[in-house]
Amino acid sequence: MGSEVSQIACGRQHTIAFVPSSGILYAFGCGEHGQLGTGYTRNVICPTPVKWRWFPHNVQIPPSVELSSCSIIKHVFSGWNKTFVICSKSDRPEPADDFRFCKNRNYTSLINDETIDLWRQKVIDNSNSMNGIVQTLSSSACWNGSFLDNKNDEHFKTSPKIPGLDMSSIKVLFEKLMNAHHSRLLEQILKGFESFLIPQLPSSPPDVEAMRIYIILPEFPLLQDSKYYITLTLPLAMAILRLDTNPSKVLDNWWSQVCPEYFFRLIDLYKGAVVYLLNGRKTLLIPVLFTSYITAALRLLEKMHKVNVKVQHVDHDKFYIPEISSLVDIQEDYLMWFLNQAGLKVRPSIMQDSVTICSYPFVFDAQAKTKMLQTDAELQMQVAINGANLQNVFMLLSLEPMLAKNPYLVLHVRRTSLVADALRELSIHSDIDLKKPLKVIFDGEEAVDDGGVTKEFFLLLLKELLNPIYGMFTVYPDSNLLWFSDICFVEHNWFHLIGIMCGLAIYNFTVVDLHFPLVLYKKLLNVPATLEDLKELSPTEGRSLQELLDYPAEDVEETFCLNFAILRESYGLMEMKPLVPGGDKITVNRDNRKEFVDSYVNYVFNQSIQEWYEAFSTGFLKVCGGKILELFQPSELRAMVVGSSNYNWQELEESAVYKGEYTTAHPTVRMFWETFHEFPLEKKKRFLLFLTGSDRIPIYGMSSLHIIIQSISSGEDHLPVAHTCYNLLDLPKYSSKEILRKKLTQAIDHYEGFSLV
């Protein structure tokens, strides 16, 4: 309107503006509560004078005007649906405040390079202003207003989704403070943080801008120093966890927006705190403090993990704490957790922690999860055994011993008819029986099964079931991997049997070699299949579909000539299978090519093999399903089932144990390892198969095999003998390396079959 405004104030939905040249106050916006002062309770779009007699401070009020009916404005305020005006006395008029000129005394102190240098000098001069420095450093308002993102005034966009912070400036300032020149100033910062700032953080900050402190503080480098975990790092975690629901959601939103590097540093910070607490729990803290501190660290990691599940800042394994396997008795911890989940409150002893790490399974790596699963399996086995023994007691008391139950799941099979015998044996057992420890008896063989017979049973049975001649599975030559066939002639119970066998292998801690792609384990864990899975199974098909997605030109239809259908061989003839209803009539173009690729992947991994896969998964989950299995990532589940092929032969030698006359320095032992290391890879793998029943490495690594080599009194005309139940090798004392090589090779090449030694 051509008039300069010197003051402006905003309420919830109205605005007040002061024009100093005329002394008049204007208002516009919502007026339903009379907050505009226009004399009406209606909304006003254009600025309208507030009804009153206003005068500028430098204008003489006419004598005819009654002083009580006029005002000289000093300052205006607005808030919610109210407006306030401070006036100066007419007999001593004062100039109105001018918002166009900054008055530093009205602004929060900023923490920046300039103030840091000024404070450093004051500290050197032993100035009396130390209290003022500590007061500023202890003020969350000062920190919240000090690192605003001034690029295009981004900080004005601060909201529950945008913190409005310049993250790089925070890091630069803290790095500057870590310089030795600022050591005394750093002491004051520590004092302010420890004694005032962190303890006084509220559970309900007054505004979203007051939440910035929770993003700023984790960048302080001394939080990473274990000396300050108890006084800084963990109290900050507790302050974050104290936040009310809405502020807590704001912080989650902001964490979703930060860069992955910042997020990872925050994860790493509290992982370090957990390890520190676990290392020092017996000497560092009294149990009550330990429990509260480690619970705070784990709960904050849990909060970050939930954010990461949504935004995928970092890989899931960045939350793993590998040290947990050595610092925590996972079996005991799981048992405590299990009892708590069952509603049986176990009172911990004085030296025992009331917190169970199993409540936070996202910090467990694959080895720790495997230990959990094995503990759970052992628990279920014991329950099944106890149930069978209890029933046997009742049967004896009722004089019906014929109804007694075996505490083990015993399978009697013939080598010549493994599949039929396994199907027959499993069909007569209940689901509860599958939870019992497994024992296998090969007809006509004397060996007692302490684990080795079971290993060979799994090896031979799965080798037979997965044989492509049955048509149950198709071998993809590009990858040498197996996948369910579109069409096969065997009954569903064969697939069900394979599922049960895979589940029993895990349940009985046996590694089996299954040439399935990762997508099988993804499906078992309800993780959707992707194009990357097809690239693993069938690299040629996968690359072709990727080329379709990456094709830059517009002529997709003319170049690729595709419909929503797939060619598959059926009884020696090529048959067109629609990927979607009426797919053979839908042409693939630039707009729908992503849908085509998704449909193609869905057909290969879901649609075409649904009934066979369901039979398999039902069998698998019957034995091995449950909440603990869901904790695994697909790659971890695969490693647990089939082991790994990351061979470290030196580690195998270093972890070996010797019995009898043998030691690491014995000539026969030295000849053995020299001969072994000279073997090609395939022969080394056959030795593993000969000694342990599997040529794969358990998820715990090579050292977990704990092979034992013992001396025997047999002459050198005897072959080495393997006790696969115990990973034990009977090694005669051979006089030369050549004889040892010959006898060991003969033993390795003729390992099938068990007899008593």
Side-chain angles (χ1 to χ4, degrees):
M1 295 164 62
S3 299
E4 286 196 12
V5 172
S6 63
Q7 294 188 43
I8 196 158
C10 298
R12 178 66 180 87
Q13 289 181 310
H14 74 286
T15 302
I16 303 296
F18 175 62
V19 177
S21 59
S22 63
I24 296 177
L25 196 62
Y26 292 88
F28 58 94
C30 178
E32 61 184 26
H33 296 285
Q35 63 264 52
L36 299 182
T38 59
Y40 305 100
T41 54
R42 59 171 177 257
N43 299 342
V44 175
I45 296 175
C46 294
T48 303
V50 175
K51 281 193 172 183
W52 192 248
R53 299 192 72 175
W54 308 105
F55 286 91
H57 79 284
N58 55 359
V59 174
Q60 184 69 34
I61 300 175
S64 59
V65 177
E66 182 138 349
L67 295 179
S68 61
S69 64
C70 66
S71 300
I72 299 171
I73 292 176
K74 173 67 176 171
H75 200 112
V76 298
F77 303 89
S78 285
W80 196 243
N81 57 12
K82 300 291 187 289
T83 301
F84 306 89
V85 179
I86 294 178
C87 299
S88 62
K89 293 184 178 181
S90 55
D91 57 342
R92 290 197 305 272
E94 297 177 30
D97 292 340
D98 195 334
F99 292 0
R100 294 170 294 179
F101 302 99
C102 293
K103 293 180 181 178
N104 289 333
R105 64 183 176 84
N106 295 332
Y107 285 81
T108 304
S109 299
L110 298 182
I111 301 168
N112 52 34
D113 287 348
E114 184 180 332
T115 51
I116 292 296
D117 293 336
L118 178 64
W119 289 341
R120 176 173 171 262
Q121 191 58 46
K122 287 182 179 180
V123 170
I124 293 172
D125 296 341
N126 288 316
S127 169
N128 293 326
S129 58
M130 290 301 297
N131 287 338
I133 294 174
V134 173
Q135 188 177 21
T136 302
L137 293 171
S138 305
S139 167
S140 58
C142 294
W143 288 100
N144 285 328
S146 294
F147 306 101
L148 303 184
D149 188 352
N150 292 312
K151 181 182 175 184
N152 298 323
D153 286 335
E154 286 295 312
H155 67 281
F156 286 122
K157 299 176 183 176
T158 299
S159 70
K161 294 188 177 179
I162 302 172
L165 285 169
D166 180 357
M167 299 300 295
S168 60
S169 67
I170 301 172
K171 198 169 183 185
V172 168
L173 183 120
F174 277 137
E175 286 174 354
K176 180 176 181 177
L177 283 170
M178 296 307 293
N179 191 296
H181 298 304
H182 297 100
S183 58
R184 292 188 62 191
L185 184 57
L186 199 58
E187 291 175 12
Q188 301 305 316
I189 293 174
L190 280 169
K191 179 181 176 183
F193 283 4
E194 290 178 5
S195 304
F196 304 104
L197 179 58
I198 295 177
Q200 293 174 4
L201 288 172
S203 60
S204 182
D207 186 79
V208 70
E209 293 183 344
M211 292 287 299
R212 292 178 180 143
I213 191 68
Y214 297 100
I215 299 291
I216 295 169
L217 284 179
E219 288 287 57
F220 186 40
L222 289 186
L223 264 72
Q224 303 278 354
D225 190 332
S226 60
K227 286 192 300 185
Y228 303 104
Y229 280 166
I230 303 300
T231 56
L232 289 178
T233 310
L234 294 165
L236 176 60
M238 291 174 171
I240 291 173
L241 294 168
R242 279 198 307 269
L243 287 170
D244 291 344
T245 303
N246 288 335
S248 184
K249 287 180 180 177
V250 169
L251 187 57
D252 290 348
N253 290 337
W254 286 1
W255 279 347
S256 300
Q257 303 299 321
V258 298
C259 67
E261 292 77 17
Y262 173 94
F263 196 72
F264 175 69
R265 286 196 301 273
L266 193 56
I267 295 168
D268 210 41
L269 172 62
Y270 285 98
K271 282 168 55 180
V274 170
V275 173
Y276 171 79
L277 291 168
L278 290 173
N279 270 316
R281 61 178 155 178
K282 301 301 183 200
T283 56
L284 184 69
L285 298 164
I286 59 175
V288 174
L289 286 177
F290 169 80
T291 299
S292 61
Y293 283 143
I294 198 165
T295 301
L298 289 167
R299 283 184 58 207
L300 192 67
L301 284 168
E302 182 179 43
K303 182 177 173 68
M304 288 186 279
H305 183 260
K306 289 177 180 176
V307 171
N308 193 64
V309 168
K310 296 177 182 176
V311 299
Q312 297 294 312
H313 273 320
V314 297
D315 292 336
H316 58 83
D317 58 2
K318 293 295 185 289
F319 284 89
Y320 291 174
I321 305 178
E323 296 88 346
I324 278 182
S325 293
S326 58
L327 295 174
V328 175
D329 185 334
I330 292 176
Q331 284 186 310
E332 182 182 340
D333 191 87
Y334 176 76
L335 185 59
M336 292 291 293
W337 175 84
F338 179 84
L339 293 173
N340 285 334
Q341 291 293 303
L344 302 173
K345 297 298 180 183
V346 180
R347 187 173 182 179
S349 64
I350 294 176
M351 294 302 292
Q352 194 177 44
D353 315 320
S354 60
V355 61
T356 53
I357 310 296
C358 288
S359 300
Y360 308 91
F362 56 87
V363 300
F364 285 167
D365 61 9
Q367 292 188 9
K369 291 175 189 174
T370 302
K371 190 70 175 175
M372 276 180 69
L373 188 69
Q374 290 181 347
T375 304
D376 182 69
E378 289 170 0
L379 192 61
Q380 292 191 51
M381 284 180 182
Q382 194 59 52
V383 169
I385 290 172
N386 291 344
N389 289 336
L390 185 62
Q391 183 174 346
N392 292 342
V393 170
F394 283 117
M395 291 304 104
L396 288 171
L397 291 174
S398 61
L399 303 177
E400 295 187 41
M402 294 300 292
L403 297 177
K405 289 278 186 179
N406 196 318
Y408 294 93
L409 172 61
V410 182
L411 303 182
H412 294 264
V413 294
R414 295 165 294 174
R415 288 184 181 273
T416 55
S417 185
L418 265 183
V419 175
D421 289 356
L423 281 169
R424 181 197 70 239
E425 290 285 294
L426 288 173
S427 66
I428 63 176
H429 289 287
S430 67
D431 292 354
I432 295 175
D433 290 334
L434 297 178
K435 299 292 185 181
K436 297 175 182 177
L438 178 64
K439 299 284 184 182
V440 176
I441 298 174
F442 281 108
D443 283 359
E445 298 184 20
E446 302 168 304
V448 176
D449 187 7
D450 279 331
V453 181
T454 297
K455 288 180 186 177
E456 194 191 19
F457 167 71
F458 281 122
L459 184 76
L460 296 176
L461 179 63
L462 289 171
K463 183 178 178 181
E464 181 76 14
L465 285 168
L466 300 178
N467 194 325
I469 65 170
Y470 291 111
M472 297 169 66
F473 300 96
T474 301
V475 179
Y476 284 73
D478 285 2
S479 60
N480 200 31
L481 294 172
L482 294 171
W483 190 242
F484 298 87
S485 297
D486 293 6
I487 300 171
C488 64
F489 304 102
V490 301
E491 297 179 9
H492 286 85
N493 57 358
W494 279 51
F495 289 100
H496 190 70
L497 174 61
I498 296 177
I500 289 176
M501 284 298 126
C502 292
L504 284 173
I506 292 177
Y507 196 70
N508 289 272
F509 324 131
T510 305
V511 172
V512 291
D513 191 9
L514 298 174
H515 290 275
F516 286 116
L518 183 64
V519 68
L520 175 65
Y521 306 95
K522 291 176 74 171
K523 284 173 68 67
L524 288 169
L525 295 171
N526 296 316
V527 177
T530 66
L531 179 56
E532 294 305 310
D533 297 310
L534 187 59
K535 289 179 183 177
E536 181 194 12
L537 177 65
S538 180
T540 302
E541 281 181 283
R543 282 195 302 269
S544 299
L545 292 173
Q546 189 64 58
E547 287 172 7
L548 170 63
L549 291 175
D550 296 341
Y551 187 69
E554 297 288 338
D555 58 338
V556 171
E557 294 182 47
E558 295 78 7
T559 303
F560 291 91
C561 302
L562 293 171
N563 294 324
F564 273 70
I566 185 172
L567 275 176
R568 279 290 187 258
E569 185 177 346
S570 176
Y571 307 109
L573 301 174
M574 299 307 292
E575 185 178 345
M576 188 74 73
K577 303 278 188 180
L579 300 178
V580 296
D584 54 337
K585 298 180 177 63
I586 303 173
T587 304
V588 177
N589 55 43
R590 186 178 178 84
D591 294 331
N592 64 14
R593 56 183 170 176
K594 176 69 169 60
E595 183 186 348
F596 168 76
V597 171
D598 291 342
S599 299
Y600 195 106
V601 170
N602 180 63
Y603 180 85
V604 173
F605 292 127
N606 299 315
Q607 186 178 333
S608 63
I609 53 99
Q610 189 66 26
E611 56 181 317
W612 318 125
Y613 169 74
E614 283 185 358
F616 170 87
S617 64
T618 302
F620 180 88
L621 297 174
K622 181 184 290 186
V623 183
C624 213
K627 286 187 175 181
I628 296 182
L629 192 71
E630 296 169 6
L631 303 179
F632 284 80
Q633 296 296 323
S635 57
E636 295 167 347
L637 181 58
R638 175 164 67 177
M640 188 173 64
V641 175
V642 306
S644 72
S645 55
N646 298 322
Y647 299 106
N648 185 334
W649 305 113
Q650 195 62 38
E651 187 178 319
L652 182 70
E653 179 181 351
E654 290 170 359
S655 62
V657 177
Y658 304 96
K659 289 188 174 182
E661 298 177 30
Y662 286 159
T663 65
T664 53
H666 193 281
T668 304
V669 170
R670 288 164 62 184
M671 282 192 301
F672 168 81
W673 285 114
E674 286 173 14
T675 301
F676 177 79
H677 288 305
E678 290 168 4
F679 280 163
L681 177 61
E682 285 306 313
K683 186 161 282 191
K684 287 177 180 173
K685 288 166 67 175
R686 285 191 66 80
F687 172 78
L688 275 185
L689 189 63
F690 162 69
L691 182 60
T692 70
S694 172
D695 63 357
R696 307 281 293 183
I697 306 165
I699 198 168
Y700 295 116
M702 209 85 168
S703 60
S704 66
L705 290 172
H706 299 300
I707 69 167
I708 302 168
I709 302 177
Q710 70 176 5
S711 59
I712 54 174
S713 57
S714 304
E716 62 178 17
D717 55 329
H718 284 72
L719 298 177
V721 176
H723 305 265
T724 55
C725 310
Y726 311 106
N727 295 348
L728 172 66
L729 179 69
D730 289 340
L731 185 66
K733 301 185 195 72
Y734 296 112
S735 59
S736 69
K737 190 173 171 180
E738 289 70 27
I739 295 174
L740 189 150
R741 178 191 296 274
K742 178 182 176 183
K743 295 297 184 180
L744 184 59
T745 300
Q746 287 178 342
I748 291 171
D749 291 342
H750 303 87
Y751 74 92
E752 278 191 17
F754 286 82
S755 61
L756 294 175
V757 179

